[in-house]
Every structure is written in structure tokens, then in C-alpha cells.
Amino acid sequence: MKKFYEMVRDERLDFIKNAVGLSEEEKASLGAPLAFESADRMVENAVGIMSVPLGIATNFVINGVERLVPMAIEEPSVIAAASKAAKIARAKGGFTAKADRSLMIGQVQVVSVKNVAGARRKVLAKKKEILAIANAKSKSVAAIGLGAREVRDASRNRMGRMLVVELTIDAKDAMGANAVNTMCEAIAPKIAEITGGEVVLKILSNYATKRMVRCKAVFDKGELGGSKIVKRILYAYALAHSDVYRAVTHNKGVMNGIDAVALATGQDFRAIEAGAHAYAARDGTYRSLTRWWRTKEGDLAGEIELPLAVGIVGGVANVNPTAKVALKIMSVKSAQELAMAMAAAGLAQNLAAIRALSAEGIQAGHMRLHARKFGK
Ligand code: MEV
């Protein structure tokens, strides 16, 4: 049987159709840009559609399940590299991933509070009442927790002490931004009443640390090019862990994978990026989002951990038929399954990049693909 990359477009589409059962209409929507009328409803001052290539990364096995991984990206080599890394991982069982519940944090900022500690206690004492106000706003997602903490302004403006009330909301299979914001706005008057302060911001936090995803894989040393390459990859990781200039580029490679799936499936990639980079700097120094080590057998093991707020209901997939089909191609049944696949794409992408950099260099791979595409 032909490999996916050896097929022409129709053969690729038939392959996907057989694998996940796409209708003719769904197949057609993969090649059709978003209708201008939809774009015009989505943003202001619309004049056109900006297109990005959509491809499929192959060979991914995640928690024992085969998944085709759609990636929307303009950069050559990324999809081939992810597929290659996934193929190497597959020989050792593929990717093993875990994702937390879809817990989002919403923040309500209260200023001009005379007694912040007292106000905090009063807010916590009314937890049930406040959660009920939030929950009256949604049938599909649930506010399940309430916290409050003092924040001291350390900016040059010295605006004083403030109270931040935080809602924890289970967004289930949605990304949850709209629901969280609506709930924060709904509880704001009550918070102002209880604290006697002035509410300023009412908004979700894109630092979704209660919504973590973790993914691991082992890559055979022989497939990577031998023990020497494994060692050189560990040197590459050592630099990414210890030096911010390398860490940013290393994580850019990770995000090549994560963002491409995010874009293909209609996720808010800016939110994902902001949260990922904050997490990379969680101990005060910006570091690699992945960890790499050598196993007892001399193979290379890798792990990625990051907050990932993604959804399979609501959001762009509602209005963009291509994103909807991309989700179908992935066959994910929950936001967690999507997050795990995205983490696997990030880990695979990172492995492919640092392997190439530790061996022949990134340009050689780029040029090989370029040559193949243009028949040289
Ligand atoms: C290019 O898009 C990504 C890389 O620079 C990532 C890396 O250096 O690890 C190759």
C-alpha cells in the first residue's frame, strides 16, 4: 500500500474517508475556504479570507489509539517531521498521555477594599450563594469552586492592595472562555456588595494551570541514529533547559506542533501560546516545555507538560466547517482527547527538531523535502 505522503490528494482524501467516514460534503469542505459571509460575521471590517495549508500527520498512536492528526501550518517540514517522530515513537508503544478535567479559572478584581483580609473571609463565607449566581448563567458548564487572595501591586503605579476572587469552572468539552467571562460578570455585583469595594476586571485567566496535559514517549536509539545522536540530543535539551535564548527556539519547535493542530481544529492559539510560555517560566526562568532523558536501555525518553485549554464544542468549529471536519478526522470524543493529541504533536515536533539539529542540521531536512516536492 502507498504511504500517505506518496498518495495524490484524492487518494489521501479517500484514505481519510475510509478511516473516519467523511461525507462528500465534509470532504469538499477541506478544500473550500471559509465563506466570506461567515468571515464577515466573525470579525469586523472583513475584506477576505487568509488561507493556510492543511495537512495530516500520520503514525500517531496515543494511549493505544491510532489518530490522524490534522495540522494547519505554512511551514514546510513540520508535518513530515511530526509523522516521522510519531513513527519512531510507535515502535515503542506510541504516546502515553493524561489530561486533567477542563477546569478554567475566572478572575474578578476588587480594588478600594478597606480590609482585604476581612473582605476575603466574607466572600468565602458566601461561596454557595456566589456559585449559584454563576451557575444560573449556564446549563453546559459548571462553576465548582471559589477562592480569593490578596494581590499587592508591584507596578510603578503603586495602586495598592487588591482582592482577586477566583472562580473555578468545569468547562467540560468546551474551551470555556465565553462561559467563564459571563459567570465572572454575573457574580461581580454580588462581590462588590459583599466586599464594599470596586470591581474592575472580570475575565478568565489564560493561565489554565488546573487544565494540564502530560504526554510521554520513548524513541528507539537505533531509529534516532545511534547512541551518539541520543547524547547530542541530551546536550540540546541541556541548553534548552538552561539558557533562555535556546529555550525560546526549542519551545517554538514544540509550538509548531501544538499551534498547527490548534489552528486546524479552530482553537484559540493565542490563549494556548500565552499559557504555555508562562508555564515554561513557572520557576522564574524560562525553560524547555519538554524534558528528555536516556532510558536504562539507552533509548531516548521524552515528556511534555503544559496547560492546554481546548474545546471540541462551541468556538470556531461551530462556524468553520473545515475545523469541524478536522476534529472529525482526529476522532476525538472529548476536550481531553484533543489536548492529549496536541501534546503528542508538540512532543513529536520537538523530538524531530532536536534530532535533526543534533544530527545533520535543520536545513538539510528542509532541502530534502523541498527537492522531493519539486521533483529534483
Ligand atoms: C523551526 O520552525 C523550529 C526549530 O527552530 C525548532 C528548534 O530549533 O528546536 C527547528
Side-chain angles (χ1 to χ4, degrees):
M1 204 184 101
K2 274 189 190 169
K3 304 236 168 43
F4 195 76
Y5 66 82
E6 294 166 335
M7 298 176 186
V8 297
R9 179 169 183 242
D10 276 342
E11 291 170 322
R12 289 177 187 158
L13 287 173
D14 283 340
F15 178 91
I16 298 171
K17 191 176 166 194
N18 289 336
V20 301
L22 295 188
S23 67
E24 282 305 317
E25 198 188 338
E26 285 169 331
K27 236 173 86 173
S29 79
L30 287 176
L34 183 68
F36 180 75
E37 298 70 50
S38 302
D40 206 21
R41 278 194 299 273
M42 287 165 81
V43 302
E44 309 70 41
N45 303 350
V47 292
I49 311 292
M50 175 73 198
S51 305
V52 179
L54 175 69
I56 306 289
T58 54
N59 303 321
F60 276 80
V61 173
I62 305 164
N63 293 340
V65 177
E66 295 264 358
R67 283 196 200 283
L68 295 169
V69 178
M71 299 177 91
I73 189 157
E74 83 298 343
E75 187 173 329
S77 308
V78 168
I79 297 173
S83 306
K84 178 78 204 300
K87 188 173 175 194
I88 301 176
R90 191 188 177 97
K92 298 265 172 193
F95 298 88
T96 310
K98 271 196 183 140
D100 291 346
R101 275 169 83 187
S102 306
L103 299 184
M104 296 295 284
I105 299 164
Q107 295 190 305
V108 178
Q109 177 196 23
V110 198
V111 301
S112 305
V113 184
K114 290 209 182 67
N115 173 356
V116 174
R120 178 177 173 276
R121 273 194 299 276
K122 284 189 206 159
V123 166
L124 295 180
K126 300 259 180 194
K127 176 174 169 175
K128 264 196 172 162
E129 199 180 324
I130 298 167
L131 288 181
I133 296 170
N135 280 321
K137 286 287 167 190
S138 176
K139 287 197 179 64
S140 53
V141 315
I144 58 164
L146 185 84
R149 60 193 169 85
E150 182 184 326
V151 175
R152 286 167 196 255
D153 175 27
S155 76
R156 62 186 292 177
N157 302 308
R158 305 264 176 258
M159 304 297 280
R161 294 174 342 142
M162 42 202 157
L163 185 70
V164 174
V165 178
E166 284 177 343
L167 271 179
T168 301
I169 292 156
D170 186 352
K172 314 242 167 98
D173 284 325
M175 187 275 191
N178 281 329
V180 175
N181 295 341
T182 303
M183 287 181 168
C184 288
E185 290 186 4
I187 65 169
K190 192 73 194 167
I191 301 292
E193 183 193 309
I194 297 169
T195 58
E198 178 187 343
V199 170
V200 185
L201 302 184
K202 312 167 272 283
I203 186 78
L204 91 163
S205 170
N206 285 124
Y207 196 29
T209 54
K210 295 185 177 177
R211 204 171 180 176
M212 300 295 296
V213 58
R214 293 167 193 89
C215 179
K216 277 186 190 169
V218 174
F219 300 85
D220 180 83
K221 66 171 182 291
E223 292 292 325
L224 292 173
S227 303
K228 191 158 174 240
I229 296 292
V230 170
K231 187 161 185 203
R232 286 170 64 86
I233 292 174
L234 293 178
Y235 278 125
Y237 164 59
L239 189 60
H241 179 76
S242 313
D243 175 73
V244 62
Y245 282 87
R246 176 56 204 156
V248 170
T249 320
H250 177 101
N251 287 345
K252 191 275 183 182
V254 171
M255 300 316 285
N256 274 347
I258 294 178
D259 282 346
V261 184
L263 198 56
T265 58
Q267 310 300 317
D268 182 343
F269 57 87
R270 288 85 57 210
I272 292 170
E273 284 275 344
H277 298 299
Y279 194 69
R282 65 193 174 282
D283 71 3
T285 301
Y286 186 93
R287 299 185 194 281
S288 163
L289 281 165
T290 53
R291 290 196 313 120
W292 294 98
W293 66 96
R294 201 195 320 249
T295 66
K296 282 203 290 296
E297 295 72 32
D299 296 321
L300 185 74
E303 182 176 51
I304 184 169
E305 179 185 73
L306 78 164
L308 215 43
V310 295
I312 61 164
V313 296
V316 173
N318 267 355
V319 280
N320 189 326
T322 310
K324 200 176 253 173
V325 177
L327 281 170
K328 182 161 180 185
I329 292 172
M330 279 185 113
S331 302
V332 285
K333 300 277 176 301
S334 66
Q336 278 77 12
E337 285 186 2
L338 174 58
M340 291 188 282
M342 288 171 72
L347 186 66
Q349 200 57 53
N350 180 225
L351 181 274
I354 57 176
R355 199 215 68 85
L357 289 167
S358 311
E360 72 272 15
I362 210 81
Q363 291 307 102
H366 267 302
M367 295 323 288
R368 228 184 1 257
L369 276 182
H370 194 76
R372 187 172 59 76
K373 274 210 173 108
F374 295 97
K376 288 185 195 137

